Amino acid sequence: MPFTPFHLGPGAFFKAIGGERLSFMIFGGSQNLMDVEPLARMIRGDAVLHGMSHTIAGAFVVALVSTAVGRPVRNAALHNSGIGDHPIGWRVALASAFVGTYSHIGLDAVMHADKNPLWPIAYGNGLLGVISAKALHILCVVSGLLGGGFVALRAVRNA
Ligand SMILES: [Zn+2]
């Protein structure tokens, strides 16, 4: 997806479901890491924007990097913010990164013809056009509103 922020909508929804077992910060970080390759290819003027990073194998590696970088950054950032949030463990970090990268390739596959998610096992993209790009964007926004609303409600109730 050319606009990474759309991925944050489902992220808010996953956060609403996962609660303490999912770090929205690491989920978000993994979205940015996923789209480093398409951005670099866009700048280079490549015909194919979604390469290795947008395959199941590539997303696995991006998730590991997101975990290794994201956990210490997330824990330090929230520790220094004074919010009083407790540090997360490697399991939560890993789960957040994998939910992030695999939801990313799933959503991107719906609207990008240059993706081969199953490379090197298979070429092609069976999810392309399953729903329209407009419907996909609406789904992302609605899931963000629902998830964000639920997370906010839970925070108010626990305050
Ligand atoms: Zn992408």
Side-chain angles (χ1 to χ4, degrees), residues 24-41:
F24 187 71
M25 196 179 283
I26 292 177
F27 179 96
S30 74
Q31 304 310 312
N32 290 316
L33 274 184
M34 284 295 289
D35 281 338
V36 166
E37 183 195 17
L39 179 65
R41 287 173 173 268

Side-chain angles (χ1 to χ4, degrees), residues 48-66:
V48 172
L49 300 181
H50 300 87
M52 277 288 287
S53 66
H54 283 61
T55 64
I56 287 176
F60 187 89
V61 174
V62 175
L64 294 181
V65 173
S66 300

Side-chain angles (χ1 to χ4, degrees), residues 1-4 7 31 34-36 38 50 53-54 104-105 107-108 112 115:
M1 205 171 288
F3 301 107
T4 308
H7 288 281
Q31 304 310 312
M34 284 295 289
D35 281 338
V36 166
H50 300 87
S53 66
H54 283 61
H104 189 111
I105 58 171
L107 292 171
D108 273 13
H112 294 301
K115 277 180 52 85

